[in-house]
Amino acid sequence: MNSNKKIIDTLRSADKASVEKLMADEMKKNEIFAKAVERASGGTDTDHGETVSGVEHYDRKISMKRMASIAAAAVLCAGGVLGGFKLMKDNKFKNNNNSSNTESTTDITETTREEVPYEITKNAVQHLVDGNFEHFRKFSCDYEVTCTEYDTYNKSEPYTIKGSLKLDNKNYIGWNSMEKTYAQPDHEKYVNARVFEYSYNGYRISTNETYEGDIKNKRYDVSFGGDSEYIDLVYLPYIYSSVWEKLKDTSTWDISGEKNENGRRIVTVEGEHGNDIVTNGPSEFYTADIDAETGVVLYESITNVRGEVTFESKYTNYKFDDEAEAPMSPAEFKQFIIDGGYVKDGSSSFDLEVLDGVSPATTTVAYEPVNSIVTTEAHPVPDELTGEFLRERSLNATHYYDKFSADIYTFHAHYGQTLSDTETNGTVKIDNTAMNAEMYGEISNPEKGPYDRSYSIFLNNIYVYINQNDNAAQNQHDEEKYCNIESVDTHYKWYKSKPDRPVLSGCLNFVNFEISKVSKDGIEHIINETPWNITGERTENGRRIASVSFSYEQLREGKYEPRYITADIDTETGLWLAYELRTDDEYYGEGYLLQSFKATNYKFNDEAEAPMTADEVYKYIEDNGYEITQS
């Protein structure tokens, strides 16, 4: 029986005093901690192959930093469940009248430094590089990344990145600035960009500037990574590096030398990778300079079979621990964004107030059942339809029906990427009268088959996202399986106001189109919309269906691109039962299909299938062993 289930079982029969006693019980705390440690270590010792005499054994899975982090997360998770998403005997998810954020009280843990053995083995180097950013307390540097070759796999133009980096693992604060320029910045899909990133208390606060023609966008976005003891920066230099992956096969590389630089012991490795179909030999050769104490790759160079350097990454002015430059404070970064004239991105989940020391890790979320019936407005349909009537009805579709259910299919083209196009098959069930809704989807593509399954669930004032992704398992990593619970106010913070009907983004109605059109960030994302044109009308399953078409221009990477819509709309409710979204593209051709949707087996009102209730949602989470988090 896992810890989640024990907590659930206890809460089902607990009153407030029992809950407080449970959290105060030292034996229970020890049990939670022990399970966290057991989970971190996998219950067995790990064999790392070659060992060095006189060096303390180090297992990354059970380092003190990792143990403390996971144990703290376990306590926070338990606290979140107990304090917020709690089941009471007479009222499941009973409101505890506490929806405010509180400051994180997680203790700061020192990073354990490792001794550098006199003789460094290949296994020791491999071990250090795989997880190198865990092996120091602080680090700062300037860096430059250069790619001189058109990347046929990622369809990426040659580029250069210049930036600076400051990491504080002791306080879980990170700062990164980078400017990316392409060899052909006027290319339709590749726009020069400048990004500032800041990680604090589990949040990632990032700015983005894109330039093209007369259009300049300066926006910021605030997201939460789910762990306040984790530095969440997306554009770190090692993201572009592949040394850690190449070093896994120790037969393909060797240690070629050592040197001392800036008081650091540096190990140089050289190897080969891939297969050239012409020579049947390696397709590339690489060399890297690795800090022997931390595993940080200070320099990397990749050369093709013609002897041309195709990729190079190097750190300069690097400093470790006490000598490292500290990131700016949260208050300083907040002021930096304000002074820089950045405006909030319309899809940002949080505001800059997160830099004031508030962490969602301790936020409580309590379900509040609907106590009164939500009524649907009168919705007559004129005998003669107009495009303007259908537009108004579509943008307010959530107010023109009580209940709805259907099987759904969605196609997504990975526009501008080489990743395979994806298809999603699922179901949707909506009950406006009880403010409940659920949408299930199973994502697949031709190469992987089904690899991601998720539930998006709207429960009045709580939004629940349940995900199971076995794409990681196919790559020999652990299966990703989790459940995130947050308030509707938080999840739909980008919305004009708290939704007064269940909202499932991207499904059935065109509300997202209107939100983008009047985005709060001050930038018109959608321009030049044409009138909606009725192209046909039919009766299907007793419903009056109208077909419409229109176009507009969508802002994408600093340019406005054409979009063409055709849709089948239920005239009474405004729900989109089918649509296609297309664009003109220099690479893919005119009328390229970006996305399509179709609802089948649809039912309205009393005939519709009901979504899961709060009790059923919680039972599903419990029975299927999902780890619960809150944000």
Side-chain angles (χ1 to χ4, degrees):
M1 181 182 295
N2 61 31
S3 58
N4 272 351
K5 182 168 178 59
K6 287 186 176 181
I7 293 170
I8 294 166
D9 291 342
T10 303
L11 288 171
R12 279 186 164 158
S13 60
D15 54 20
K16 182 177 180 181
S18 298
V19 172
E20 292 174 350
K21 182 178 183 299
L22 174 64
M23 291 307 294
D25 191 324
E26 188 65 26
M27 291 181 63
K28 181 60 65 177
K29 290 180 183 178
N30 291 338
E31 178 184 345
I32 294 174
F33 182 84
K35 285 186 176 292
V37 173
E38 181 181 356
R39 185 181 305 156
S41 64
T44 61
D45 292 331
T46 302
D47 183 6
H48 288 287
E50 297 181 45
T51 59
V52 181
S53 176
V55 179
E56 180 181 356
H57 176 70
Y58 173 88
D59 186 336
R60 186 165 68 93
K61 289 186 178 180
I62 56 172
S63 68
M64 288 307 298
K65 176 188 171 186
R66 180 74 65 166
M67 280 201 305
S69 174
I70 294 177
V75 172
L76 284 175
C77 180
V81 175
L82 295 171
F85 201 54
K86 59 183 181 181
L87 279 171
M88 307 304 274
K89 190 185 304 183
D90 55 347
N91 185 4
K92 303 295 189 286
F93 304 124
K94 185 177 180 180
N95 183 14
N96 61 1
N97 297 318
N98 181 8
S99 59
S100 62
N101 291 341
T102 58
E103 292 189 5
S104 174
T105 58
T106 305
D107 292 335
I108 293 172
T109 305
E110 291 283 350
T111 303
T112 302
R113 296 185 62 169
E114 294 194 8
E115 288 185 42
V116 180
Y118 177 76
E119 180 182 358
I120 300 179
T121 65
K122 293 169 70 173
N123 276 14
V125 171
Q126 180 195 50
H127 165 65
L128 280 172
V129 173
D130 187 14
N132 50 29
F133 282 89
E134 296 180 0
H135 301 155
F136 57 81
R137 295 190 300 276
K138 299 177 183 178
F139 177 72
S140 65
C141 72
D142 298 322
Y143 63 87
E144 183 172 340
V145 178
T146 304
C147 176
T148 62
E149 186 177 58
Y150 180 84
D151 188 338
T152 56
Y153 181 78
N154 295 307
K155 281 191 169 59
S156 173
E157 293 283 346
Y159 59 82
T160 298
I161 297 173
K162 294 183 179 180
S164 65
L165 175 66
K166 299 174 184 178
L167 301 177
D168 184 348
N169 282 335
K170 180 179 178 181
N171 296 294
Y172 310 115
I173 296 177
W175 152 269
N176 181 37
S177 68
M178 61 85 80
E179 188 160 1
K180 187 173 187 177
T181 56
Y182 288 95
Q184 300 180 20
D186 58 340
H187 191 282
E188 185 180 37
K189 299 180 183 63
Y190 301 101
V191 184
N192 295 343
R194 183 168 62 167
V195 174
F196 297 100
E197 295 181 285
Y198 195 80
S199 180
Y200 171 66
N201 225 359
Y203 293 98
R204 174 179 176 262
I205 305 93
S206 62
T207 70
N208 183 269
E209 300 176 30
T210 57
Y211 307 83
E212 190 155 12
D214 296 329
I215 300 171
K216 178 180 180 180
N217 302 318
K218 292 187 70 173
R219 297 189 292 268
Y220 75 84
D221 178 73
V222 186
S223 58
F224 181 66
D227 186 352
S228 60
E229 297 185 4
Y230 174 68
I231 295 179
D232 184 10
L233 297 174
V234 172
Y235 293 103
L236 292 174
Y238 74 83
I239 297 296
Y240 299 90
S241 170
S242 57
V243 165
W244 64 274
E245 182 69 30
K246 293 180 173 69
L247 295 182
K248 288 183 178 179
D249 185 353
T250 56
S251 67
T252 62
W253 60 276
D254 287 299
I255 297 174
S256 61
E258 288 190 31
K259 61 184 176 181
N260 288 307
E261 185 178 83
N262 299 329
R264 309 293 298 188
R265 186 178 177 186
I266 310 297
V267 177
T268 300
V269 302
E270 294 182 359
E272 56 188 41
H273 184 72
N275 180 68
D276 183 69
I277 59 175
V278 177
T279 65
N280 201 30
S283 59
E284 62 184 21
F285 305 87
Y286 63 91
T287 181
D289 289 343
I290 301 169
D291 182 70
E293 181 180 337
T294 64
V296 173
V297 180
L298 299 172
Y299 175 79
E300 175 186 2
S301 176
I302 298 176
T303 305
N304 62 21
V305 293
R306 296 182 298 276
E308 301 165 334
V309 176
T310 60
F311 178 86
E312 188 176 53
S313 173
K314 55 184 175 182
Y315 292 172
T316 57
N317 300 322
Y318 55 83
K319 301 174 184 176
F320 289 84
D321 299 330
D322 294 341
E323 297 179 355
E325 298 179 28
M328 66 176 70
S329 69
E332 288 173 329
F333 187 73
K334 181 178 179 181
Q335 193 62 45
F336 170 83
I337 293 180
I338 295 172
D339 293 343
Y342 296 94
V343 294
K344 180 180 177 181
D345 187 271
S347 61
S348 180
S349 300
F350 301 93
D351 292 315
L352 291 179
E353 282 67 25
V354 302
L355 291 167
D356 297 334
V358 179
S359 172
T362 54
T363 301
T364 58
V365 182
Y367 172 67
E368 299 173 359
V370 175
N371 296 319
S372 58
I373 299 297
V374 179
T375 57
T376 303
E377 301 171 8
H379 45 276
V381 179
D383 292 336
E384 185 175 349
L385 296 173
T386 65
E388 185 57 32
F389 168 82
L390 291 172
R391 185 184 188 282
E392 184 278 334
R393 186 134 295 190
S394 293
L395 295 175
N396 296 280
T398 54
H399 289 77
Y400 290 109
Y401 64 93
D402 285 334
K403 302 174 184 179
F404 178 84
S405 67
D407 297 324
I408 56 176
Y409 166 85
T410 304
F411 166 83
H412 282 277
H414 284 272
Y415 187 33
Q417 303 177 35
T418 57
L419 298 174
S420 298
D421 298 336
T422 58
E423 297 180 335
T424 303
N425 287 280
T427 58
V428 62
K429 302 173 185 179
I430 301 173
D431 185 349
N432 283 330
T433 66
M435 290 290 284
N436 279 14
E438 69 175 63
M439 181 167 61
Y440 172 77
E442 182 176 271
I443 301 177
S444 62
N445 65 31
E447 287 79 13
K448 301 175 184 175
Y451 67 91
D452 187 278
R453 302 162 184 83
S454 65
Y455 265 110
S456 296
I457 301 172
F458 192 108
L459 291 172
N460 187 23
N461 67 307
I462 284 182
Y463 179 84
V464 182
Y465 181 74
I466 304 172
N467 181 262
Q468 181 175 339
N469 187 321
D470 52 14
N471 183 31
Q474 294 181 12
N475 293 323
Q476 298 179 347
H477 297 295
D478 292 336
E479 180 181 64
E480 184 180 11
K481 189 174 182 180
Y482 69 93
C483 167
N484 188 65
I485 302 166
E486 60 184 322
S487 70
V488 165
D489 285 342
T490 298
H491 186 77
Y492 292 100
K493 204 160 190 174
W494 48 268
Y495 209 70
K496 296 176 186 177
S497 59
K498 179 180 178 179
D500 58 355
R501 293 292 191 278
V503 175
L504 300 171
S505 298
C507 177
L508 301 170
N509 62 60
F510 213 46
V511 66
N512 287 348
F513 171 82
E514 181 68 6
I515 290 171
S516 296
K517 189 175 177 64
V518 293
S519 175
K520 293 180 181 179
D521 61 14
I523 299 172
E524 281 194 283
H525 291 268
I526 293 174
I527 61 173
N528 297 330
E529 179 192 355
T530 65
W532 291 27
N533 179 43
I534 298 177
T535 59
E537 187 177 332
R538 69 181 188 275
T539 299
E540 182 179 274
N541 298 331
R543 311 292 300 186
R544 186 180 177 187
I545 310 297
S547 297
V548 302
S549 65
F550 64 96
S551 65
Y552 58 92
E553 292 181 72
Q554 170 76 55
L555 183 64
R556 179 178 182 269
E557 295 185 353
K559 295 182 67 175
Y560 285 99
E561 297 180 338
R563 297 287 189 268
Y564 308 102
I565 290 280
T566 57
D568 290 342
I569 302 174
D570 180 70
T571 59
E572 182 180 358
T573 64
L575 288 178
W576 288 39
L577 300 177
Y579 68 80
E580 288 187 349
L581 173 65
R582 297 180 180 272
T583 190
D584 294 337
D585 184 80
E586 180 180 346
Y587 183 83
Y588 295 101
E590 293 185 1
Y592 178 69
L593 179 63
L594 293 175
Q595 184 175 333
S596 66
F597 171 87
K598 186 173 181 62
T600 57
N601 194 30
Y602 53 82
K603 302 173 185 177
F604 287 84
N605 299 328
D606 293 340
E607 297 179 355
E609 298 179 31
M612 287 188 284
T613 64
D615 283 354
E616 291 170 333
V617 170
Y618 205 83
K619 187 176 188 305
Y620 178 86
I621 295 169
E622 174 187 348
D623 291 347
N624 290 277
Y626 285 91
E627 292 295 324
I628 300 173
T629 63
Q630 287 189 293
S631 66

